[in-house]
Amino acid sequence: MYRVVALLIAATAVPAVIVVAGAIEGEVCRAPGCRLRDSGTGDWHTVSDSSLLQTRSKPSRSNPHESLVQHIVKKVETVDDHVFVVSPASFALRVAALLVVVLGVFLVFAAPPLPSWTKSCGKNGACGPTEAVAQDEKVGMIAESRRYCTEIKVSGMTCSACSSTVERCLRNQHGVESATVNLVLEKATVVYNADVVTAAALCEEVEDVGFEASTLSNDLASELQDEGKATLHLEVGAEFIEPVGSFVSGVAGVIAWRAIGQHMIQVTYRPLAVGARSLLGQLIKKFPECTIRCAPPQDNNQIADLQRNVERLWFNFKCSAIPAFLVFVITIVLPSFHVDLGTIDCKSIHIHLSTVAVLALATPVQFVFGADFHVQARKALARRAPNMDVLVSLATHISYGYAILVLITKVCKALGHHNDMTGERDSMGFTLGLECHALHFFGMAPILMAVVLCGKLIESKAKIQTMESLVRLMECKSQTAQLVTDEKEEAISVELVQVDDRLRFFEGSQIPVDGILITEDSVWVSEAILTGESTPTEKKNGSTLMGGTTVVGGSGIMKATTVGSKTALGEIITLISNAQATKTKAQQLANTVAGYFVTSVMACAVLVFSIWFFLAYSGRVALPKEMGGASTFDMALFAAKFGVAVLMVACPCAMGLATPTAVMVSTGVAAKMGCLVKSAEALEEGARVRAVVLDKTGTITEGAPRVSCTLLSLASLAQLPGAADSAGGVDAPTAKQAPPSHHFGSTPDRTLPGSRSVEALEWDFWRLVGAAESGSDHPLAKCLTEAAKAATGLATFPLPEQFRYKVGRGVSAVLEGIDIRVGSFAFLEDSLAELRQELPGDAGMSELEAWASERKMSTDSVMVAHAVVQKKVCLLGALAVRDAVRSDAIETIRHLQHKLGVEVWMCTGDCTSTAKAIAREVGIAADHVHAEALPKQKADKVNALKIHAKGAVCFVGDGVNDAPALAAADIGIAIGAGAHLAMDAADVVLVRSELATLASYVKLSKDTKFAIMRNFAWAFVFNFCGLPVAAGVFYPRVVLPPLAAGLAMGLSSTLVVSSSLMLRFFQPFALSKG
């Protein structure tokens, strides 16, 4: 209410003050021969003597013989041959009027809202302070079962001021936990408590502040991370929309539904709980009288909306460009060559053709093709959040309105047969038209409108280009799938595919969903769209196939394992979309500034106009010669040019687009090279990286270790319970692919009954190791399991009775009553300490340690196998595992150190000697190696580096053990097909398992930061450096006309978007050839 009162006071006080000031203001002359202007009529008179000439004056009460002008006039100034007498009282009143205007504008638009307890009850809010406080306490403690995440399509946002308004509106709603609005994507993501507020109510709140809003999705926030979701689009009759929606909402596994248009609904469901065809079958059975079919949309709604916006802008620009060009010729080009279009004679009135032509051309541009700006400006003012549309609408209306006012004045005075500044009667009659300078100001309206439309058109097209990567990924989704059943084979919509379906694919087709190959023949698949690797990959029986990839050779049948958002393509699209929706710290600050920027510019324009009008009126500044006489209209025009220039040069869009466009382009570029960036902050932090901590296994090395040799204790193996018949009566191994083996310790007596051969004991060793390691998914465990399969010839191993994974040590499994333990030397020491035992001297421990030291010097890792039998430790042997260094590791680490200025560290759970040998090979300093580290110790090392590092610390790993360190680092990077936990804890995922991508990510982050800073520099130049020039601070040496200011406005956002698009030419780090 106080805002309305302030607006009424400003609206009524300003005219009253101006009337009073005009009534008491007069002008006098002191010297003979000077010209005197009447402030009331604007007429100039020549004085023949030094007597005081008074005009429009009344006697003063204190002295009847003294005019009121004489009484209040205190200062006389002479400029050329003009004498201006300035009334301090009238000037003070005008300044007061200006202050009232500025204060009113601030209170209406910029002042913060009153405390929440003064507000009336909203649709979903509490009414008093007690309820508000209670609600604030509820936020952040939302029950997980009622915690929803909704995506809202927001149409009508034109600049960062708009997105800030929507975001502020949503965050202020009771029950909302978080809200993020993306200007480029025109989407709001809101996490809220469904017990307090609904998605429909949030859309209503957005609509109440002047934007169009519709729900895109509404799902349980917790389940989005676990089970995934899928969507099913169904075409139904208009009268069945509500009944069908009510029915599906009660089906188990359905998350939500929403209507799309008049004949379609979108159902979101959990594919692991209910199948799409099953759901469709239930609907057909429930509504037999209604035709229900699956009809997925052909185009992405978001892209389609942007395309429609581009088409509308293109039409408006085409229709306004020709009139604007003609106006430019009439008002600027022809006068420069002293060409006059002539006049139209109408009785005694001569009408300038140029004025009529500009009026006819400017009117449709102003009110038809530029109507979108005026409509959006009205909405922005209605929600008390002015944006760029307000600046454009206000500037063009001032230009157009001034010319119309001058013309109306001319017509009135011509009809009244008065000679004044707007009409001149000569022997032939009256000449009616705008002077050259006024006509030029009039012509700015259509030209500015065309320029701004052109800028918006270029900006909208560039927005679509920034979404190129996301569009490309969405287009890779197959629309159909070939379903194979026992009865028939048919083509169905990919939305109807269910888990465990058998699908046939052909050469040249796209894999519809994720699955596994179940036919024997190999096929070749290009996974470039997901990994960036152009070389096709061979897929054999049992191999994983990813949806969206292209079959380049062969055909076969696959079994669907994942559909919907949890497919590889779906997760990548989700990651990119979420990253593009996030904001950097710089963007958050820019949005805060933009929220008050437009209001400040409007107040600044009013102030600039008032100052220049006073300077011109008081004679402190002489008008340009081309403006002719010093009439009030001329002075107003002179001042208005500065005010309009201030309005036009300001462009909050440039600030709002500085970060989102750069983030959208860079995330797309990163996805192309197999790097998935989860947030804009990850790019921002990536540019600050000064230290990189690398895990060894799977990061510096290939992550595909192999057993190079073994050292076995035959005596210990022979003493194991059941060793005599563990081979099932087989005296020799059935496979001869075991690695080279050596023996240590005492040799068993083979003369004893039931003694077994060396080959049989080795076979039994591999069987025990394989069974123990088969329960783990660690790279080393997989390596030992595969080696055991090759050595024994067994396809599977017996399941252990008990299995336990000890972090940083190894695994233990109980098999046939024997507790088999495989792991590091520390694991062996833990077992000895647990049982309070020491190995006997003949156990061969010294021989084992010597062998292990030799292998470690060759960069092998040594795993020790021992058993606990009857509470005694029995040393079985050791395995040397070699993991080759990645081919790109040496060059990548060198590039990070010398080109990018990054310190490289190694942090591994492997033994110190092996870790240092690997570090020496790849070029990492010995004092930058932290070996034998448990997961918590890795996280502690990262935290210690964060304290001393001069920038951000990045950790790169691939396994479950690395999850704490990934979470502790400023940037966690999961390389390759890491465990899901590692991917969840990471900020960046390197899909291709290539360390070179790490260098490309750091380089791209730095280039992105530079692009963002460059964008903000452009915005700063145009908005903050251009404002003083537009305001006339450097007048008369440097002047920025309104037309040039309008060009700057359109150019600013265009330059910002173009600057971001330059990131598309980013060159990733490439290994040197040879």
Side-chain angles (χ1 to χ4, degrees):
M1 178 60 69
Y2 79 104
R3 298 179 188 268
V4 178
V5 172
L7 183 61
L8 292 176
I9 292 175
T12 56
V14 173
V17 170
I18 292 176
V19 169
V20 173
I24 67 172
E25 185 181 63
E27 296 192 4
V28 297
C29 181
R30 288 185 175 179
C34 292
R35 299 175 64 204
L36 181 68
R37 184 172 70 86
D38 189 305
S39 63
T41 65
D43 295 336
W44 287 88
H45 307 278
T46 301
V47 184
S48 58
D49 55 29
S50 59
S51 61
L52 186 66
L53 176 65
Q54 63 184 53
T55 59
R56 298 181 68 235
S57 304
K58 295 182 180 180
S60 171
R61 291 183 179 179
S62 60
N63 186 356
H65 302 288
E66 182 184 28
S67 70
L68 185 60
V69 171
Q70 291 174 274
H71 181 68
I72 65 175
V73 166
K74 303 298 182 184
K75 183 175 181 181
V76 178
E77 295 186 1
T78 302
V79 180
D80 296 332
D81 60 342
H82 296 172
V83 176
F84 298 88
V85 181
V86 183
S87 167
S90 63
F91 174 66
L93 286 172
R94 292 180 185 274
V95 172
L98 174 62
L99 293 177
V100 171
V101 171
V102 174
L103 180 62
V105 170
F106 175 79
L107 290 176
V108 174
F109 299 117
L114 293 179
S116 59
W117 53 268
T118 63
K119 296 181 179 180
S120 60
C121 298
K123 296 178 182 179
N124 310 297
C127 295
T130 305
E131 292 90 337
V133 173
Q135 180 59 44
D136 289 340
E137 293 175 353
K138 293 179 183 178
V139 175
M141 298 183 294
I142 299 176
E144 198 65 28
S145 60
R146 302 298 296 164
R147 186 170 175 265
Y148 275 72
C149 177
T150 184
E151 291 183 349
I152 300 175
K153 170 70 175 178
V154 182
S155 302
M157 296 188 297
T158 58
C159 65
S160 57
C162 300
S163 59
S164 297
T165 300
V166 176
E167 192 169 293
R168 188 164 53 247
C169 168
L170 290 171
R171 287 181 175 177
N172 289 340
Q173 300 306 310
H174 297 305
V176 172
E177 179 182 336
S178 64
T180 304
V181 178
N182 187 282
L183 173 63
V184 180
L185 297 177
E186 295 185 342
K187 183 177 69 175
T189 304
V190 187
V191 177
Y192 66 95
N193 185 353
D195 291 331
V196 180
V197 67
T198 64
L202 294 174
C203 289
E204 291 179 7
E205 295 294 342
V206 174
E207 291 174 349
D208 286 346
V209 295
F211 300 94
E212 297 179 6
S214 60
T215 305
L216 293 175
S217 64
N218 188 37
D219 311 308
L220 284 171
S222 59
E223 298 188 2
L224 292 179
Q225 303 293 333
D226 302 328
E227 298 184 26
K229 62 178 182 177
T231 56
L232 177 63
H233 293 83
L234 299 173
E235 186 176 292
V236 300
E239 66 276 13
F240 289 95
I241 291 287
E242 288 296 331
V244 169
S246 301
F247 175 77
V248 298
S249 61
V251 177
V254 173
I255 300 173
W257 72 276
R258 70 184 183 97
I260 303 176
Q262 298 292 327
H263 301 279
M264 184 175 290
I265 66 170
Q266 175 185 291
V267 182
T268 306
Y269 66 96
R270 303 186 196 99
L272 296 181
V274 61
R277 294 197 306 279
S278 173
L279 181 60
L280 180 59
Q282 294 183 49
L283 288 173
I284 294 175
K285 184 178 179 180
K286 177 67 176 178
F287 302 96
E289 69 279 9
C290 176
T291 302
I292 303 176
R293 66 184 186 90
C294 178
Q298 298 298 317
D299 299 321
N300 179 265
N301 292 332
Q302 181 177 329
I303 305 301
D305 290 342
L306 289 175
Q307 291 285 4
R308 284 192 292 269
N309 183 49
V310 168
E311 292 173 1
R312 185 176 65 255
L313 287 172
W314 174 241
F315 174 79
N316 290 336
F317 172 68
K318 284 192 301 183
C319 295
S320 61
I322 296 177
F325 175 75
L326 295 176
V327 169
F328 176 78
V329 172
I330 295 172
T331 59
I332 298 178
V333 177
L334 295 182
S336 63
F337 292 97
H338 306 286
V339 177
D340 190 359
L341 294 181
T343 59
I344 301 175
D345 297 331
C346 182
K347 295 183 180 180
S348 62
I349 300 177
H350 310 297
I351 303 174
H352 280 294
L353 274 175
S354 57
T355 302
V356 176
V358 172
L359 179 62
L361 293 170
T363 301
V365 174
Q366 177 71 11
F367 297 105
V368 179
F369 307 122
D372 287 346
F373 291 105
H374 308 316
V375 171
Q376 295 298 331
R378 179 182 58 80
K379 291 181 179 180
L381 292 175
R383 62 177 176 263
R384 301 189 298 275
N387 58 9
M388 190 199 74
D389 295 318
V390 174
L391 299 180
V392 174
S393 180
L394 187 59
T396 55
H397 271 103
I398 290 175
S399 175
Y400 187 89
Y402 171 84
I404 297 300
L405 179 62
V406 172
L407 287 176
I408 291 175
T409 305
K410 282 182 172 240
V411 172
C412 292
K413 293 201 173 184
L415 294 177
H417 301 285
H418 291 288
N419 287 332
D420 57 17
M421 68 160 199
T422 61
E424 297 179 359
R425 183 167 65 182
D426 51 27
S427 58
M428 300 298 294
F430 296 96
T431 300
L432 183 61
L434 296 175
E435 289 77 5
C436 182
H437 55 274
L439 190 64
H440 176 268
F441 190 68
F442 187 18
M444 285 192 309
I447 297 175
L448 288 175
M449 191 65 72
V451 168
V452 175
L453 281 170
C454 180
K456 296 296 289 183
L457 176 63
I458 296 174
E459 176 188 322
S460 298
K461 286 186 175 182
K463 283 181 182 179
I464 297 178
Q465 291 179 355
T466 61
M467 300 174 65
E468 176 188 7
S469 60
L470 198 58
V471 174
R472 190 166 56 91
L473 287 172
M474 290 179 176
E475 289 176 348
C476 287
K477 288 185 176 181
S478 178
Q479 297 297 319
T480 59
Q482 195 74 14
L483 178 65
V484 179
T485 62
D486 295 336
E487 296 81 14
K488 59 180 179 179
E489 183 173 325
E490 61 177 336
I492 62 173
S493 170
V494 74
E495 289 191 351
L496 294 177
V497 175
Q498 301 180 164
V499 176
D500 293 333
D501 278 347
R502 289 185 300 160
L503 307 173
R504 185 183 299 277
F505 57 86
F506 305 94
E507 183 174 343
S509 65
Q510 288 180 325
I511 302 296
V513 295
D514 287 5
I516 58 174
L517 183 63
I518 60 176
T519 51
E520 295 298 330
D521 295 336
S522 298
V523 296
W524 293 87
V525 178
S526 172
E527 299 177 344
I529 189 64
L530 302 181
T531 65
E533 179 59 54
S534 58
T535 305
T537 305
E538 183 183 9
K539 300 293 183 179
K540 300 179 180 180
N541 182 274
S543 298
T544 300
L545 300 173
M546 292 184 288
T549 57
T550 304
V551 181
V552 296
S555 62
I557 298 177
M558 61 176 288
K559 184 175 76 171
T561 57
T562 309
V563 300
S565 63
K566 280 300 181 178
T567 62
L569 181 61
E571 287 190 326
I572 290 175
I573 292 175
T574 301
L575 282 175
I576 295 178
S577 299
N578 292 342
Q580 293 177 349
T582 57
K583 298 178 180 178
T584 64
K585 297 176 182 178
Q587 184 60 30
Q588 294 172 6
L589 176 61
N591 287 350
T592 302
V593 173
Y596 300 96
F597 180 74
V598 176
T599 305
S600 303
V601 168
M602 292 169 63
C604 179
V606 173
L607 183 62
V608 167
F609 169 79
S610 303
I611 292 174
W612 280 107
F613 183 77
F614 165 71
L615 293 175
Y617 188 81
S618 63
R620 295 177 183 271
V621 174
L623 302 184
K625 295 180 179 180
E626 61 269 16
M627 298 193 70
S631 66
T632 303
F633 274 109
D634 289 336
M635 294 178 182
L637 173 59
F638 174 73
K641 287 185 177 182
F642 292 100
V644 172
V646 169
L647 292 175
M648 291 306 300
V649 78
C651 183
C653 281
M655 291 187 294
L657 295 171
T659 297
T661 53
V663 169
M664 292 188 72
V665 175
S666 57
T667 50
V669 170
K672 273 186 180 180
M673 62 188 188
C675 176
L676 302 181
V677 182
K678 293 185 177 181
S679 67
E681 188 176 359
L683 285 170
E684 189 176 44
E685 290 294 318
R688 298 178 49 249
V689 168
R690 292 295 178 271
V692 171
V693 183
L694 302 175
D695 183 36
K696 181 183 75 68
T697 304
T699 303
I700 296 177
T701 60
E702 292 285 355
R706 60 179 181 84
V707 179
S708 57
C709 61
T710 59
L711 183 67
L712 307 181
S713 174
L714 299 180
S716 298
L717 289 169
Q719 294 174 5
L720 291 178
D725 55 3
S726 61
V730 179
D731 189 57
T734 59
K736 299 182 180 296
Q737 299 180 14
S741 177
H742 305 277
H743 307 142
F744 73 101
S746 59
T747 303
D749 187 358
R750 298 187 181 181
T751 61
L752 296 176
S755 62
R756 302 181 60 202
S757 65
V758 173
E759 291 79 6
L761 293 175
E762 291 178 353
W763 185 91
D764 202 45
F765 170 80
W766 280 112
R767 184 182 65 87
L768 294 174
V769 170
E773 295 288 351
S774 61
S776 174
D777 62 350
H778 192 280
L780 286 177
K782 293 180 180 179
C783 162
L784 296 180
T785 303
E786 293 300 321
K789 289 180 179 179
T792 61
L794 299 176
T796 59
F797 295 99
L799 294 176
E801 301 165 13
Q802 298 178 13
F803 177 83
R804 186 179 60 168
Y805 171 71
K806 191 170 183 181
V807 178
R809 291 293 188 261
V811 298
S812 66
V814 177
L815 183 69
E816 301 170 358
I818 305 174
D819 187 356
I820 304 296
R821 302 183 181 185
V822 183
S824 61
F825 273 94
F827 198 9
L828 174 62
E829 295 172 358
D830 291 346
S831 298
L832 293 172
E834 177 186 350
L835 299 174
R836 298 179 181 178
Q837 177 188 347
E838 293 184 0
L839 290 175
D842 61 348
M845 189 64 185
S846 58
E847 187 178 352
L848 174 62
E849 289 177 345
W851 178 84
S853 299
E854 180 183 351
R855 301 313 306 173
K856 290 176 183 178
M857 293 301 295
S858 302
T859 70
D860 286 353
S861 299
V862 176
M863 310 291 292
V864 180
H866 62 283
V868 177
V869 182
Q870 298 178 354
K871 297 185 178 181
K872 291 184 179 181
V873 176
C874 181
L875 189 60
L876 302 181
L879 307 97
V881 180
R882 178 170 299 174
D883 191 3
V885 173
R886 291 185 184 274
S887 58
D888 59 351
I890 298 176
E891 193 170 346
T892 299
I893 291 173
R894 186 186 303 118
H895 183 79
L896 288 170
Q897 293 172 332
H898 302 297
K899 298 295 183 181
L900 300 178
V902 176
E903 289 186 0
V904 181
W905 295 70
M906 178 194 292
C907 192
T908 178
D910 210 338
C911 63
T912 303
S913 56
T914 302
K916 288 188 175 181
I918 295 290
R920 184 169 55 252
E921 182 177 350
V922 297
I924 299 177
D927 57 348
H928 280 43
V929 177
H930 188 62
E932 300 180 12
L934 298 175
K936 184 179 181 302
Q937 294 173 330
K938 291 182 181 181
D940 293 341
K941 181 62 179 178
V942 169
N943 289 325
L945 280 177
K946 288 167 65 176
I947 297 175
H948 302 290
K950 297 180 180 179
V953 176
C954 170
F955 184 89
V956 186
D958 72 328
V960 176
N961 290 341
D962 302 324
L966 290 171
D970 294 314
I971 308 165
I973 300 180
I975 184 171
H980 290 292
L981 180 60
M983 291 185 67
D984 291 341
D987 303 299
V988 180
V989 178
L990 306 183
V991 181
R992 283 209 310 234
S993 300
E994 293 180 2
L995 199 59
T997 313
L998 171 64
S1000 298
Y1001 159 72
V1002 176
K1003 185 172 181 287
L1004 177 62
S1005 298
K1006 293 180 180 293
D1007 288 1
T1008 302
K1009 181 180 179 181
F1010 179 75
I1012 291 175
M1013 293 299 103
R1014 184 174 62 225
N1015 292 346
F1016 277 120
W1018 282 121
F1020 179 83
V1021 167
F1022 282 100
N1023 285 299
F1024 297 99
C1025 295
L1027 278 173
V1029 179
V1033 173
F1034 305 103
Y1035 179 84
R1037 294 187 176 183
V1038 180
V1039 179
L1040 185 66
L1043 181 58
L1047 289 171
M1049 171 189 273
L1051 189 61
S1052 59
S1053 57
T1054 302
L1055 281 175
V1056 165
V1057 177
S1058 301
S1059 171
S1060 297
L1061 288 175
M1062 291 174 62
L1063 288 170
R1064 294 193 301 172
F1065 304 104
F1066 170 80
Q1067 295 296 326
F1069 167 66
L1071 299 174
S1072 59
K1073 297 181 180 180

